[in-house]
C-alpha cells in the first residue's frame, strides 16, 4: 500500500477543493434552513465529471478507481460541503456496471456519465423489515413483458432529484424459497414515466438529508429493466455494499477533519484567562485524540480501497472503515463543540449544523451495532446473534 497521493490524485484534490470554494459555509447554512437540495452544487460536480469517475471510459466516464472516488468525497466534506446529496451517483450505477447486460450498460451509463440521467435513488429498506433485507415484502409479479410491483420503501433519499430508481423487490415469497437470500430481484425504475403508481411522502429529519417513504401501486416496469437474473438480486446489492462503505467512510473522514481544522484554528485564536483555550489540555487532548482516530480510520479505508481495486471483496475492511470513521467523526464533532463552547451552538460558526450531521453515520447507512455483529460472527467466527 502506498500512503502518498499520486500527482494525479493531488490534482484531483486541488480541483475538487477549488470547486467547493465556490460554495462556502453560508450556502450550506441557507440550504439547511430551507431544507433545500443543493442543485447548483450537484450540477457543478456533474459538469466537472467528478460523479462519473467510476464509470469506465468506454461508457463516457472517468475510468477511475475507488480510491479516486474516495478522495473526491473526502475533499468535498473536508471543505465544509456535503457529498451526501450526490454520492449515490457514484456507486448505485455499479449494479448496472457489474450485473447489467451490455444493452443496459449502453442505454444508461453514457447518459449517467454525461449528466443527462440521474441515478441517485435506491429503494431497499422497508418499514417492517429494517436491516433484515431478506424480509422485505415489496413484490414484483411477472405479467408478460412487464413486472407489476406493489409495496413500500422507507428512507429512500433523493427521489425528487433522480430520474431512475434502483429497486429491490421480491419475485418469490419468503416462505417459498429454500434460502432466505433467494427470490429477490433488482429493477431499474424510470421515475419519469412512473406517474401516480409511485407515491412519495417526505420524512422530516434533524438534518438536511432529503429522504422519503415510497408507495408502489401496480407500478409497471418493463422486463428488460430487470438487472441480471431474476431471484439473484440480493447478491447484486451486496456486491455494491463494499464500495458504498468505502465511499461513505471517506465522507465521514472529511467531516471529521473539517471539525479538527475548524476547532484547532479557533482554539489557537480564542483567548480566555489570558491564553488561547487550545493551550488547555481539556481542549487540546480531545482534539488530538480525535485526530489520531481519524488517521487510523483513514488507514483502514485505504486498505479496503486497495483490496477492492485488486478485485477483492473486503467485507471486514470496508465495514470496519465505516465503523471507525463514523466513531472518529463523532469524536471530532464533540471535541469541536467543546472547544467552541457556547459559540458551537451559534449557527454562524456552522459547528451545530455539522454536529447534527455527524450523528447520522453512527446508524446509517448501516447501524454500527450491525457492523460489530458482522465482525463478531463473520470475521471472528462467534455464534450469530440474529
Amino acid at each position: 500500500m502506498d500512503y502518498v497521493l499520486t500527482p494525479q490524485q493531488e490534482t484531483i484534490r486541488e480541483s475538487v477543493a477549488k470547486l467547493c470554494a465556490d460554495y462556502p459555509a453560508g450556502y450550506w447554512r441557507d440550504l439547511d434552513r430551507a431544507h433545500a437540495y443543493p442543485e447548483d452544487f450537484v450540477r457543478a460536480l456533474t459538469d466537472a465529471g467528478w460523479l462519473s469517475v467510476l464509470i469506465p471510459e468506454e461508457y463516457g466516464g472517468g475510468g477511475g478507481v475507488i480510491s479516486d472516488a474516495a478522495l473526491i468525497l473526502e475533499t468535498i466534506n473536508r471543505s465544509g460541503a456535503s457529498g451526501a446529496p450526490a454520492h449515490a451517483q457514484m456507486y448505485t450505477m455499479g449494479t448496472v456496471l457489474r450485473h447489467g447486460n451490455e444493452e443496459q450498460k449502453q442505454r444508461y451509463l453514457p447518459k449517467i456519465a454525461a449528466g443527462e440521467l440521474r441515478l441517485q435513488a435506491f429503494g431497499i429498506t422497508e418499514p417492517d423489515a429494517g436491516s433484515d433485507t431478506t424480509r422485505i415484502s415489496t413484490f414484483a409479479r411477472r405479467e408478460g413483458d412487464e413486472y407489476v410491483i406493489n409495496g413500500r420503501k422507507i428512507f429512500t433519499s433523493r427521489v425528487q432529484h433522480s430520474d431512475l430508481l434502483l429497486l429491490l423487490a421480491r419475485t418469490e415469497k419468503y416462505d417459498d424459497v429454500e434460502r432466505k437470500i433467494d427470490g429477490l430481484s433488482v429493477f431499474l425504475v424510470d421515475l419519469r414515466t412512473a406517474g401516480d403508481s409511485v407515491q412519495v411522502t417526505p420524512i422530516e429529519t434533524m438534518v438536511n438529508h432529503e429522504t422519503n417513504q415510497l408507495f408502489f401501486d401496480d407500478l409497471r416496469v418493463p422486463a428488460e429493466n430487470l438487472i441480471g437474473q431474476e431471484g439473484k438480486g440480493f447478491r447484486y446489492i451486496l456486491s455494491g455494499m463494499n464500495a458504498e462503505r468505502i465511499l461513505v467512510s471517506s465522507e465521514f473522514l472529511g467531516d471529521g477533519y473539517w471539525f479538527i481544522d475548524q476547532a484547532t484554528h479557533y482554539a489557537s485564536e480564542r483567548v480566555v484567562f489570558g491564553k488561547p483555550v487550545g493551550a488547555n489540555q481539556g481542549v487540546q487532548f480531545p482534539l488530538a485524540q480525535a485526530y489520531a482516530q481519524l488517521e487510523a480510520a483513514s488507514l483502514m479505508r485505504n486498505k479496503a480501497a486497495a483490496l477492492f481495486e485488486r478485485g477483492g471483496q473486503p467485507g471486514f475492511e470496508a465495514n470496519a472503515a465505516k465503523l471507525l470513521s463514523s466513531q472518529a467523526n463523532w469524536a471530532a464533532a464533540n471535541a469541536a463543540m467543546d472547544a467552541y463552547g457556547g459559540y458551537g451552538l451559534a449557527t454562524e460558526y456552522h459547528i451545530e449544523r455539522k454536529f447534527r450531521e455527524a450523528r447520522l453515520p453512527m446508524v446509517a447507512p448501516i447501524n454500527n451495532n450491525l457492523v460489530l455483529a458482522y465482525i463478531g460472527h463473520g470475521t471472528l467466527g462467534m455464534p450469530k446473534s440474529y
Side-chain angles (χ1 to χ4, degrees):
M1 294 174 60
D2 192 344
Y3 303 107
V4 179
L5 296 181
T6 66
Q8 181 181 8
Q9 289 175 325
E10 287 284 6
T11 300
I12 289 174
R13 183 167 65 178
E14 292 171 3
S15 299
V16 173
K18 183 178 179 181
L19 184 153
C20 292
D22 292 332
Y23 301 88
Y27 171 82
W28 296 97
R29 180 187 58 212
D30 293 344
L31 289 171
D32 183 70
R33 288 172 174 169
H35 295 284
Y37 185 77
E39 182 65 44
D40 293 343
F41 179 69
V42 174
R43 174 52 57 188
L45 289 175
T46 303
D47 292 344
W50 298 125
L51 299 185
S52 61
V53 68
L54 292 179
I55 296 178
E57 292 181 355
E58 63 186 291
Y59 300 113
V65 293
I66 196 78
S67 56
D68 296 330
L71 177 61
I72 291 168
L73 291 174
E74 180 180 325
T75 303
I76 288 172
N77 282 47
R78 187 163 188 168
S79 299
S82 175
H87 63 193
Q89 189 92 344
M90 286 185 167
Y91 55 80
T92 47
M93 66 81 204
T95 302
V96 179
L97 179 63
R98 287 187 296 272
H99 306 291
N101 56 45
E102 188 58 32
E103 190 279 329
Q104 291 170 333
K105 295 176 187 179
Q106 293 288 351
R107 189 190 340 162
Y108 293 113
L109 294 181
K111 291 184 178 180
I112 292 173
E116 298 174 22
L117 281 178
R118 281 186 181 173
L119 176 52
Q120 284 279 17
F122 56 106
I124 299 177
T125 306
E126 297 186 7
D128 296 330
S131 297
D132 189 358
T133 304
T134 62
R135 286 287 189 175
I136 65 171
S137 58
T138 295
F139 198 83
R141 185 182 71 257
R142 181 73 181 257
E143 286 190 3
D145 294 332
E146 294 180 316
Y147 284 88
V148 181
I149 301 176
N150 288 277
R152 59 179 178 163
K153 297 291 181 180
I154 199 168
F155 300 128
T156 301
S157 302
R158 300 168 297 273
V159 168
Q160 294 91 335
H161 308 282
S162 186
D163 300 306
L164 304 172
L165 167 71
L166 195 69
L167 179 66
L168 183 69
R170 278 214 161 270
T171 42
E172 289 183 83
K173 293 183 179 179
Y174 181 89
D175 293 335
D176 294 339
V177 296
E178 292 185 10
R179 296 184 300 173
K180 63 181 182 179
I181 63 172
D182 292 334
L184 293 152
S185 302
V186 177
F187 302 89
L188 260 185
V189 177
D190 193 330
L191 295 170
R192 299 168 300 175
T193 61
D196 294 338
S197 59
V198 178
Q199 297 290 329
V200 179
T201 301
I203 300 172
E204 291 191 17
T205 66
M206 72 179 190
V207 296
N208 186 27
H209 185 86
E210 185 182 274
T211 193
N212 311 274
Q213 184 167 197
L214 307 183
F215 298 87
F216 305 101
D217 183 14
D218 288 339
L219 170 67
R220 292 187 172 272
V221 176
E224 63 184 17
N225 283 27
L226 172 71
I227 303 298
Q229 297 181 31
E230 182 179 296
K232 305 297 184 183
F234 186 78
R235 299 168 181 81
Y236 303 156
I237 294 295
L238 278 185
S239 74
M241 290 300 183
N242 289 332
E244 179 201 42
R245 302 283 191 267
I246 293 169
L247 294 178
V248 297
S249 295
S250 302
E251 293 177 321
F252 307 157
L253 289 168
D255 281 334
Y257 285 126
W258 179 87
F259 280 118
I260 298 299
D261 291 342
Q262 302 303 307
T264 53
H265 175 76
Y266 178 83
S268 298
E269 299 292 329
R270 171 68 168 161
V271 175
V272 178
F273 296 116
K275 63 179 179 180
V277 296
N280 298 302
Q281 293 177 350
V283 172
Q284 186 179 114
F285 282 10
L287 291 170
Q289 177 69 53
Y291 180 76
Q293 289 178 251
L294 288 165
E295 287 288 283
S298 179
L299 291 176
M300 180 59 77
R301 185 274 314 270
N302 292 345
K303 181 180 180 182
L307 292 172
F308 188 87
E309 290 172 6
R310 294 174 186 171
Q313 286 295 335
F316 164 74
E317 291 81 5
N319 278 279
K322 187 273 171 185
L323 172 74
L324 297 173
S325 62
S326 64
Q327 292 173 334
N329 180 30
W330 184 234
N334 281 278
M337 182 64 80
D338 287 341
Y340 273 81
Y343 287 113
L345 282 76
T347 58
E348 67 177 295
Y349 289 94
H350 309 285
I351 297 297
E352 64 84 27
R353 170 173 55 83
K354 298 294 285 186
F355 185 87
R356 285 185 278 115
E357 294 176 0
R359 189 58 180 85
L360 176 62
M362 303 290 282
V363 297
I366 183 174
N367 194 299
N368 279 353
N369 286 334
L370 282 177
V371 174
L372 292 171
Y374 167 81
I375 295 172
H377 65 72
T379 304
L380 301 180
M382 292 186 286
K384 292 189 70 170
S385 58
Y386 61 89

